[in-house]
C-alpha cells in the first residue's frame, strides 16, 4: 500500500500560481495605464502624485519592484524541487548518477534519500521523514519572512510620507499665519498673500497623500503575490508529505507500537500490584487498630475492678 501511495502522488508544479501572479500584475498595469497620460483619456493623477515627493515615492516603487521579483522567485524555486523529486522517483540507475543537482530547498532531503540508497535501505525511518519535512518547512518559512517584511516596509514608507507631509503642512501653515500677522496693508493684499502662501501647505498634503497612495497600493500588490507564493509552497509541502508517507518504513512504527503496548501492560500489572498491596496494608492496619482498642477496653475494665477491690478492702479495715 505504501508503494502504491508513493507512485500515486502527483506533484503540482507552480505554473498555475505563477500565472495567477502574472495576471494580477497585468491587471495592475492596466489600471496604471488607464490613470497615466498615455491612456485614451489622459490623466495626470499618478504623475502629479509621484512628483509631490519623487525621492520617497521612488524608494517605495523600488521596494515594490523588489517585492514583485522576490515573490515570483519564491514561487519559481518550487519547479526545480519538483523536477528533482520526479527524476529521483523515475530513476532506474542504482547509483543515481544521472540525477540533476538538488536545489537548496530540498538539499537535506536529497542527501538522506541518496544515503538510504547507498546503504540499500529502500525505506526511510519515521524520524528521518519528520526531519526532512521540518527542514523544508523551516526553509519555506524563512523565505516567506522576507516577503512579509517587504510588505510591511511599504506600509511603513507610506505612513512615513504621510507624517512627513503633515509636518510640512503644519510648519507651512504656521509660517503663513505669522506672515499675515506681521504684514500690514489693505485687506485685499492680505487675502492675496494668504492665497499665495497656502501653496506650500497644500504641497505638503500632496506629499502625505501621494506616499500613502503608493505605499498602500504597493503593499496590496506584494501581499497578493506573497499569498500565491505561499500557496504554491504549501501545495508542494503537502505533496511531498504524501510521497514521503509511501517512503517511510511503517514496520518500525508497528514494532515500536508493540513494545510500547508491552510496556504499558507491564506498567498496568505493576500498578495493580501496588494497589493490592496498599489495600492489604490498610486492612491489616485497621485490624491492628481494632485489636488494640479491644485490649485497651479490657485493661480499663480490670483497672476499675481492682479499684473496687481496694476500696472494699480499705473499708473493712
Amino acid at each position: 500500500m505504501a508503494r502504491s501511495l508513493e507512485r500515486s502522488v502527483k506533484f503540482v508544479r507552480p505554473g498555475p500560481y505563477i500565472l495567477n501572479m502574472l495576471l494580477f500584475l497585468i491587471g495592475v498595469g492596466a489600471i496604471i495605464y488607464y490613470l497615466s497620460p498615455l491612456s485614451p483619456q489622459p490623466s495626470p493623477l499618478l504623475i502629479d502624485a509621484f512628483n509631490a515627493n519623487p525621492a520617497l515615492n521612488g524608494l517605495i516603487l523600488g521596494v515594490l519592484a523588489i517585492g514583485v521579483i522576490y515573490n515570483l522567485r519564491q514561487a519559481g524555486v518550487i519547479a526545480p524541487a519538483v523536477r528533482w523529486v520526479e527524476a529521483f522517483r523515475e530513476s532506474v540507475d542504482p547509483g543515481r548518477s544521472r540525477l540533476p543537482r538538488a536545489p537548496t530547498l530540498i538539499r537535506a532531503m536529497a542527501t538522506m534519500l541518496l544515503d538510504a540508497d547507498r546503504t540499500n535501505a529502500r525505506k526511510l525511518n519515521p524520524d528521518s521523514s519528520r526531519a526532512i519535512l521540518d527542514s523544508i518547512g523551516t526553509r519555506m518559512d524563512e523565505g516567506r519572512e522576507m516577503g512579509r517584511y517587504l510588505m510591511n516596509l511599504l506600509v511603513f514608507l507610506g505612513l512615513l510620507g504621510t507624517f512627513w507631509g503633515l509636518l510640512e503642512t503644519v510648519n507651512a501653515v504656521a509660517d503663513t499665519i505669522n506672515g499675515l500677522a506681521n504684514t500690514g496693508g489693505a485687506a485685499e493684499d492680505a487675502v492675496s498673500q494668504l492665497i499665495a502662501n497656502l501653496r506650500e501647505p497644500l504641497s505638503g498634503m500632496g506629499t502625505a497623500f501621494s506616499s500613502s497612495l503608493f505605499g498602500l497600493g504597493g503593499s496590496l500588490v506584494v501581499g497578493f503575490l506573497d499569498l500565491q507564493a505561499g500557496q504554491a509552497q504549501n501545495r508542494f509541502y503537502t505533496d511531498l508529505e504524501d510521497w514521503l508517507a509511501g517512503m517511510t518504513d511503517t514496520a518500525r512504527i508497528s514494532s515500536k507500537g508493540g513494545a510500547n503496548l508491552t510496556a504499558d501492560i507491564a506498567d498496568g500489572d505493576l500498578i495493580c500490584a501496588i494497589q493490592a498491596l496498599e489495600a492489604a496494608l490498610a486492612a491489616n492496619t485497621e485490624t491492628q487498630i481494632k485489636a488494640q482498642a479491644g485490649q485497651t477496653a479490657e485493661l480499663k475494665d480490670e483497672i476499675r475492678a481492682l479499684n473496687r477491690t481496694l476500696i472494699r478492702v480499705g473499708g473493712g479495715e
Side-chain angles (χ1 to χ4, degrees):
M1 181 177 179
R3 190 67 178 177
S4 61
L5 177 62
E6 173 192 348
R7 290 295 180 182
S8 63
V9 175
K10 183 178 180 181
F11 285 85
V12 177
R13 296 180 179 270
Y17 301 98
I18 296 177
L19 179 61
N20 292 337
M21 298 166 74
L22 294 178
L23 291 177
F24 180 79
L25 292 176
I26 291 174
V28 173
I31 295 175
I32 294 174
Y33 173 77
Y34 180 78
L35 297 176
S36 69
L38 302 177
S39 65
Q41 297 179 352
S43 174
L45 176 62
L46 293 180
I47 300 299
D48 294 341
F50 180 83
N51 291 331
N53 193 339
L56 182 59
N57 293 331
L59 177 61
I60 292 174
L61 293 180
V63 174
L64 173 60
I66 294 174
V68 170
I69 296 173
Y70 183 82
N71 283 288
L72 287 173
R73 178 184 174 276
Q74 284 298 107
V77 296
I78 303 299
V82 172
R83 287 196 297 268
W84 192 92
V85 173
E86 290 179 347
F88 178 87
R89 186 165 59 176
E90 301 299 332
S91 176
V92 295
D93 182 12
R96 308 290 186 180
S97 58
R98 297 182 181 180
L99 286 178
R101 183 178 180 181
T104 305
L105 181 63
I106 59 171
R107 188 163 296 171
M109 181 188 72
T111 301
M112 291 184 181
L113 292 177
L114 294 177
D115 289 342
D117 276 353
R118 295 189 187 97
T119 57
N120 294 325
R122 302 301 297 177
K123 294 288 185 179
L124 295 173
N125 58 60
D127 294 335
S128 298
S129 298
R130 189 71 262 167
I132 289 172
L133 293 175
D134 291 342
S135 173
I136 295 176
T138 301
R139 294 186 181 186
M140 287 182 177
D141 292 338
E142 290 177 353
R144 294 174 64 180
E145 286 178 358
M146 185 62 182
R148 298 189 185 99
Y149 173 76
L150 293 175
M151 182 173 57
N152 295 330
L153 180 60
L154 288 172
V155 176
F156 168 76
L157 292 175
L159 293 177
L160 177 63
T162 299
F163 290 112
W164 184 356
L166 292 177
L167 181 61
E168 290 182 353
T169 301
V170 171
N171 293 333
V173 169
D175 294 339
T176 300
I177 294 174
N178 292 332
L180 290 176
N182 297 328
T183 301
E188 296 179 356
D189 296 336
V191 172
S192 300
Q193 185 178 0
L194 175 62
I195 294 174
N197 292 337
L198 283 177
R199 294 176 180 175
E200 187 173 354
L202 292 178
S203 65
M205 294 299 294
T207 299
F209 290 119
S210 65
S211 61
S212 298
L213 173 66
F214 286 109
L216 295 178
S219 175
L220 175 64
V221 173
V222 174
F224 180 81
L225 299 182
D226 179 74
L227 176 64
Q228 293 296 314
Q231 289 180 351
Q233 292 181 352
N234 291 336
R235 182 56 187 269
F236 171 72
Y237 184 88
T238 303
D239 294 340
L240 186 64
E241 187 176 15
D242 294 339
W243 179 63
L244 288 178
M247 297 284 293
T248 304
D249 188 2
T250 56
R252 299 186 182 184
I253 300 178
S254 301
S255 62
K256 291 182 179 179
N260 293 333
L261 181 60
T262 304
D264 292 339
I265 294 174
D267 292 340
D269 294 340
L270 179 60
I271 293 173
C272 292
I274 292 174
Q275 291 176 350
L277 180 60
E278 290 177 351
L281 290 175
N284 187 23
T285 302
E286 186 177 359
T287 303
Q288 290 179 357
I289 291 174
K290 291 180 179 179
Q292 187 175 2
Q295 293 175 0
T296 303
E298 293 177 358
L299 181 61
K300 288 181 179 180
D301 294 337
E302 292 178 357
I303 292 174
R304 291 193 187 105
L306 180 61
N307 288 334
R308 287 194 295 269
T309 302
L310 289 176
I311 291 171
R312 286 197 300 271
V313 172
E317 291 178 355

